[in-house]
Amino acid sequence: MFLSAADRRFRRGAALGALALVLAFLFAPFLILGTGTEGLSPALASLTDSYILGVIRFTLTQAILSTLLSLLFGVPFALALHRNRLPGHALLLKLLLLPQALPVLVGALGLVTVFGRNGVVADLMVWAGLPRPSIYGLPGILIAHVFFNMPLVTRMALGGLQAVPAESWKLAGQLALSPLATFRLVEALALRAVLPGAAALVFMLCFTSFTLVLVLGGGPAGTTLQVAIYQALRYDFAPGRALALALAQVALVALFLLPTILARAGGALGGFGLGAPERRFDPPAPLKRAADWLVLTLGLLFLLAPFAAIVWSGLQADLGRLVADPQFQRAALTSLAIAGSATVLGLALSLALVLSSGLSGRLGLVLRLVPALGLVVPSIVIGAGWFLALRLLGDVTRFAPFVAVLSNAMVILPYATRILAPEAEAAAVRTGRLASSLGLRGWARLRHVELAALRRPLALAASLGLATALGDLGSVALFGSQDFVTLPTLLLQRMGSYRSTDAEGLALLLGALCLGLIFLAERGFQERGAA
Amino acid sequence: MLRPALAVGLLASLAGLSPALAQDSGKPVLTVYTYESFVPDWGPGPKVEAAFEAECGCDLRFVGLEDGVAILNRLKLEGESTQADVALGLTAELVPEFKKTGLFAPSGVDLSPLAIPGGFSDDVFVPFDYSYLAFVYDTEVVKTPPASLDELVNGDPEQKIAIQDPRTSTPGLGFLLWMKAVYGDGAEEKWRTLSRRILTVTPGWSEAYGLFTKGEVPMVLSYTTSPAYHQIEEGTERYKAAAFSEGHYLQVELAGRLRTSKQPELAQRFLAFTLTPAFQKLIPTGNWALPATKPAEPLPPAFETLVQPAKPLAIDAETVATHREAWTAEWLRALGR
């Protein structure tokens, strides 16, 4: 990779350090909870009972279908968005990240307003003389998962398309490539670099989905492995069983992720570019244009209708009173501090892992696989394990903010590494030789070569990180500290004591805060680049 | 790019979040583990704190956990080293589990002022309020509410209900026991019939109640006291609870003191305090439940209009502990897992 020996040593050290931290944080709870329990072997044996097998089968089915559908809808939507720049494009890109920040319950109620039994769609169908549809069951789960994850696919696919040098689009225009040829020669190559990562993320998110699956699944037929883990640790307090189930979850997901880990982008993106602002020069093709507009209209309707429902019900709340409430202000500051710190830490860890690039073989595989699993180790297991460990150091509530930051950073890792890795590789191919021939090394090289090349993906990773960390719920629920309340916790507290109007207002405020943060993050990463 | 100053600022803010070490006021601190809806401004917590601190010369602190089960788990994790002096907010079904921890001391509280339907006696736990499970309906949609559990089970499958999962929620488990108390061994068959009416089974109360107030289902599993909230806080009589002739399942909430407490007298005094009018009068509109003692002054008028169950139903906690797993499996079978 054309690095000086000192740089290589330093980067390898940073990567191994990051890996050690991730491993320790995610897997130490297994050891801590595992000691002193009834032993793992009876629990492991129970994994093969018919109830658990049924749960696993269902979890896999819905996760695979959800992932395929999210890709099926997300990719054409991204292509259409990229070809036709809509007014408000920049705002739309930010809106696409919002579902990550929304507490699932808020999203589910927004979806129900549109697609539910008494929702807009059902009313329209009845008005048209059709029977009233019911989405509860697998259709409801799939609709909800596509709503939450298709925007993620779209954003990552757009990120891939944006990495294509402006010169390629110009060339495609000059050669008057047909839509199909443009897709095959330019777009597909760009997508190939980012889609395995996007698919892996969506798969993990759907595999571990809990509230959505139960609420829209219509009954216990929609039970995921995550529900069983939660039940084992919370309601039956059988740590052995919970650990066995959690291990099964990690192993299953790792098995399914392996192909996406092995599918390396290579240097596919390493075209020459002078950093000109991208602009497309597709020749006019009326048929394609019509198809694009159809995709855009349907996609926007599907995504924005539940948002509109959420905004509408949020506006019914007394927002002025909510904002003036000191509880809200405290929770907002807490959320900001946690989300900000977790994002900084998550990005730093991801960069350390992604920029090491010298590690190959088995160690390299571990390096790529472990951080990718941050979403799959159940937060209830992490919470319980660290609670036990930190108890030895005194009052646990003091540690709640730190555990929250770390566990959120672990959740950000899979997003960030998936976004940064392909572009880091492409950038290394593009600039590595030049940088070393200029004798750049150490911090100067990191700053002027790698970080400069990763500006755009870093902005996306930071935005996604902020959104997911803002929406995080209860990684420290067990710590039960009265002085540590985040916005989503406050929202659910209101929801749990009849105050749903207040909760809807809080959801709107949370969304606004998230948009504001994303705006700042993107500005922050742009400024230096433009200067 | 992120500047170092920003990172330092974030770290500093994080340290600021870490709850400040207890300010030493010189007063003894009494730590009470409770569920989180007890603690916020609108809950009974702050008023209870003010009232008790006025007479005890101590500093009362609440630690809010998700629910009774979370309190139990936290105590199991902490064992003898727990900071808690009192645990407040466990349901009667959990009593055997709480006793099994061996962490609780006899309450020493005189339970004679109790006015809990069906009576209550226990030398360790003190009940501080109770409520009845009920199906709450939207009067704008449901014109003839079911008058019995049987009418609910056999009612129009097109009129949907939302319930909670007994594997993950207290009211969900309560309804499982309610069906069992009424139908015994026939419960599985009745569940199968009822399943046609169930739109969905949510992990907790909030999701089901959210679907209900959004108009997605006209009927939801909740409590007889829910309509009082809508009357008093929202001024609407739109939501009512259906009275069932077989009776309603009774949920009693209890408090107990820890054997390991360093302030045993204070803890005992707090338990006794929960049965005094000063505490009990905060229950109806703070916790939206019914006071455990005969109220010194009449309840708010909205409470007079609530369903008064003909018969309290309850299954003894030891029986529940023995059969919960089998009954849950039966429920899963009936509802198609």
Side-chain angles (χ1 to χ4, degrees):
Chain A
M1 214 50 69
F2 315 107
L3 283 169
S4 71
D7 272 1
R8 190 166 308 163
R9 259 199 314 278
F10 173 74
R11 290 191 185 188
R12 179 173 300 199
L16 290 178
L19 184 68
L21 180 71
V22 174
L23 273 172
F25 187 77
L26 290 181
F27 294 99
F30 283 83
L31 294 179
I32 299 164
L33 278 180
T35 53
T37 62
E38 64 276 36
L40 267 183
S41 44
L44 282 174
S46 76
L47 286 181
T48 52
D49 73 29
S50 67
Y51 169 69
I52 292 298
L53 284 181
V55 168
I56 290 178
R57 202 175 314 123
F58 173 78
T59 310
L60 275 175
T61 313
Q62 63 83 13
I64 292 172
L65 285 176
S66 301
T67 309
L68 288 179
L69 288 175
S70 301
L71 289 173
L72 189 70
F73 293 112
V75 171
F77 189 61
L79 285 172
L81 268 182
H82 194 251
R83 284 184 201 126
N84 312 276
R85 192 148 291 218
L86 299 175
H89 183 76
L91 179 66
L92 181 65
L93 291 192
K94 294 184 184 65
L95 281 182
L96 286 177
L97 299 176
L98 272 192
Q100 305 299 321
L102 276 185
V104 168
L105 176 52
V106 173
L109 291 178
L111 281 169
V112 156
T113 315
V114 178
F115 297 101
R117 200 177 143 75
N118 289 314
V120 183
V121 173
D123 285 347
L124 281 177
M125 284 179 73
V126 169
W127 180 76
L130 297 163
R132 185 171 286 276
S134 173
I135 56 163
Y136 293 85
L138 195 57
I141 295 173
L142 295 179
I143 288 178
H145 279 164
V146 171
F147 171 76
F148 274 94
N149 297 305
M150 164 190 159
L152 188 63
V153 173
T154 302
R155 266 315 294 261
M156 290 183 73
L158 274 174
L161 290 171
Q162 281 172 344
V164 175
E167 287 72 10
S168 298
W169 300 119
K170 206 178 261 178
L171 195 61
Q174 278 164 352
L175 296 174
L177 292 183
S178 72
L180 200 64
T182 311
F183 178 75
R184 205 162 46 83
L185 295 174
V186 190
E187 293 168 336
L189 281 181
L191 292 176
R192 217 176 62 191
V194 291
L195 285 189
L201 268 183
V202 175
F203 180 75
M204 280 197 281
L205 287 167
C206 297
F207 195 96
T208 53
S209 180
F210 177 150
T211 304
L212 268 184
V213 172
L214 279 179
V215 170
L216 294 168
T223 296
T224 52
L225 209 45
Q226 191 87 333
V227 176
I229 295 168
Y230 182 84
Q231 185 196 358
L233 198 53
R234 247 181 69 82
Y235 275 77
D236 306 335
F237 202 73
R241 186 170 161 84
L243 289 185
L245 290 168
L247 281 176
Q249 170 152 309
V250 172
L252 271 171
V253 173
L255 201 68
F256 272 79
L257 285 197
L258 217 48
T260 73
I261 298 277
L262 295 173
R264 301 291 276 162
L269 282 179
F272 248 115
L274 299 173
E278 45 161 347
R279 219 181 111 203
R280 296 190 60 155
F281 302 90
D282 299 50
L287 199 64
K288 185 173 91 169
R289 213 176 149 71
D292 278 354
W293 281 101
L294 186 69
V295 169
L296 284 177
T297 316
L298 289 179
L300 285 176
L301 268 180
F302 175 73
L303 292 177
L304 295 185
F307 270 144
I310 292 166
V311 171
W312 174 250
S313 40
L315 288 174
Q316 314 297 311
D318 186 350
L319 292 175
R321 178 177 55 80
L322 285 178
V323 172
D325 184 356
Q327 276 193 39
F328 165 79
Q329 294 164 4
R330 244 190 345 260
L333 286 178
T334 306
S335 282
L336 281 176
I338 297 293
S341 317
T343 306
V344 172
L345 180 62
L347 289 190
L349 289 173
S350 311
L351 281 174
L353 292 166
V354 162
L355 293 180
S356 73
S357 59
L359 294 170
S360 53
R362 234 170 292 164
L363 189 58
L365 192 65
V366 173
L367 203 63
R368 293 199 292 273
L369 190 57
V370 171
L373 287 174
L375 281 167
V376 205
V377 180
S379 62
I380 186 170
V381 170
I382 295 182
W386 281 106
F387 181 91
L388 274 179
L390 294 171
R391 199 166 54 92
L392 304 173
L393 300 177
D395 182 14
V396 279
T397 50
R398 263 186 305 151
F399 300 107
F402 300 99
V403 176
V405 166
L406 270 163
S407 66
N408 274 307
M410 297 304 146
V411 169
I412 291 171
L413 264 187
Y415 290 93
T417 48
R418 285 333 182 97
I419 292 170
L420 297 174
E423 307 228 19
E425 268 176 51
V429 171
R430 217 159 46 220
T431 57
R433 200 182 291 265
L434 182 63
S436 61
S437 73
L438 289 173
L440 279 170
R441 60 180 62 184
W443 173 240
R445 173 171 172 139
L446 207 58
R447 185 169 151 204
H448 293 297
V449 181
E450 275 93 0
L451 292 185
L454 289 177
R455 226 169 45 231
R456 222 167 5 196
L458 270 173
L460 177 59
S463 306
L464 256 175
L466 287 168
T468 50
L470 267 186
D472 169 62
L473 249 185
S475 47
V476 286
L478 193 66
F479 289 64
S481 164
Q482 203 181 327
D483 310 307
F484 183 70
V485 176
T486 61
L487 273 185
T489 330
L490 191 68
L491 191 159
L492 283 214
Q493 272 183 10
R494 309 253 167 168
M495 209 85 167
S497 44
Y498 297 104
R499 285 162 175 78
S500 52
T501 315
D502 278 4
E504 283 157 351
L506 286 177
L508 187 63
L509 294 174
L510 177 66
L513 188 68
C514 183
L515 273 187
L517 276 186
I518 291 176
F519 180 77
L520 282 181
E522 290 183 352
R523 275 289 290 277
F525 281 105
Q526 248 161 28
E527 242 169 5
R528 280 290 178 86
Chain B
M1 288 299 143
L2 281 161
R3 289 144 222 231
L6 177 62
V8 172
L10 280 169
L11 269 180
S13 70
L14 212 57
L17 280 179
S18 182
L21 289 170
Q23 290 152 351
D24 197 1
S25 55
K27 292 178 187 165
V29 176
L30 189 74
T31 305
V32 177
Y33 284 5
T34 185
Y35 47 77
E36 56 188 11
S37 61
F38 197 87
V39 189
D41 289 351
W42 62 79
K47 291 190 189 113
V48 167
E49 186 178 337
F52 189 63
E53 285 180 353
E55 62 168 70
C56 73
C58 67
D59 182 4
L60 183 66
R61 294 220 181 119
F62 289 112
V63 173
L65 297 157
E66 205 177 326
D67 56 11
V69 182
I71 300 174
L72 174 66
N73 287 345
R74 170 112 175 212
L75 289 175
K76 279 183 179 170
L77 285 173
E78 291 180 330
E80 304 247 324
S81 69
T82 180
Q83 300 284 312
D85 300 297
V86 172
L88 178 130
L90 48 139
T91 50
E93 286 80 31
L94 294 172
V95 163
E97 290 276 328
F98 270 88
K99 286 194 173 161
K100 224 161 60 186
T101 62
L103 289 172
F104 285 84
S107 69
V109 172
D110 170 24
L111 296 185
S112 64
L114 284 184
I116 287 183
F120 183 91
S121 71
D122 191 276
D123 59 344
V124 175
F125 293 103
V126 178
F128 62 93
D129 71 8
Y130 68 95
S131 43
Y132 288 107
L133 288 178
F135 278 85
V136 175
Y137 64 95
D138 181 351
T139 52
E140 287 179 12
V141 183
V142 180
K143 297 301 173 196
T144 46
S148 64
L149 186 59
D150 222 48
E151 280 187 32
L152 177 85
V153 169
N154 297 305
D156 176 11
E158 278 311 295
Q159 194 169 69
K160 297 293 182 189
I161 63 170
I163 61 168
Q164 295 93 27
D165 198 318
R167 293 172 298 172
T168 48
S169 90
T170 322
L173 178 62
F175 186 45
L176 183 82
L177 301 177
W178 190 356
M179 291 283 281
K180 208 74 204 170
V182 172
Y183 295 117
D185 290 342
E188 185 172 350
E189 201 41 51
K190 296 289 179 180
W191 271 112
R192 212 162 268 136
T193 317
L194 179 65
S195 71
R196 296 174 302 144
R197 279 195 90 165
I198 301 174
L199 183 70
T200 193
V201 183
T202 65
W205 180 89
S206 303
E207 294 88 5
Y209 214 78
L211 288 174
F212 173 65
T213 50
K214 279 266 175 237
E216 182 69 359
V217 279
M219 220 180 321
V220 67
L221 174 63
S222 187
Y223 300 95
T224 54
T225 43
S226 304
Y229 175 84
H230 297 289
Q231 276 183 48
I232 293 173
E233 298 285 329
E234 296 173 347
T236 171
E237 304 207 355
R238 180 172 169 184
Y239 305 112
K240 288 202 156 48
F244 285 180
S245 58
E246 296 94 339
H248 288 244
Y249 201 80
L250 179 70
Q251 250 181 18
V252 182
E253 292 195 299
L254 311 154
R257 66 187 178 107
L258 278 293
R259 178 170 58 74
T260 47
S261 166
K262 294 192 183 68
Q263 274 98 223
E265 291 83 26
L266 209 49
Q268 186 172 24
R269 205 160 140 203
F270 181 76
L271 286 186
F273 174 72
T274 62
L275 294 186
T276 62
F279 181 102
Q280 290 286 311
K281 71 169 192 225
L282 300 173
I283 289 299
T285 56
N287 224 19
W288 302 100
L290 300 165
T293 61
K294 194 173 172 331
E297 33 196 298
L299 295 180
F303 279 76
E304 299 304 319
T305 64
L306 300 181
V307 167
Q308 317 282 342
K311 187 179 155 198
L313 300 174
I315 297 179
D316 149 70
E318 295 294 340
T319 317
V320 176
T322 323
H323 296 286
R324 188 169 64 102
E325 207 172 314
W327 291 347
T328 308
E330 185 181 287
W331 176 84
L332 283 170
R333 265 201 311 280
L335 263 63
R337 163 85 270 165

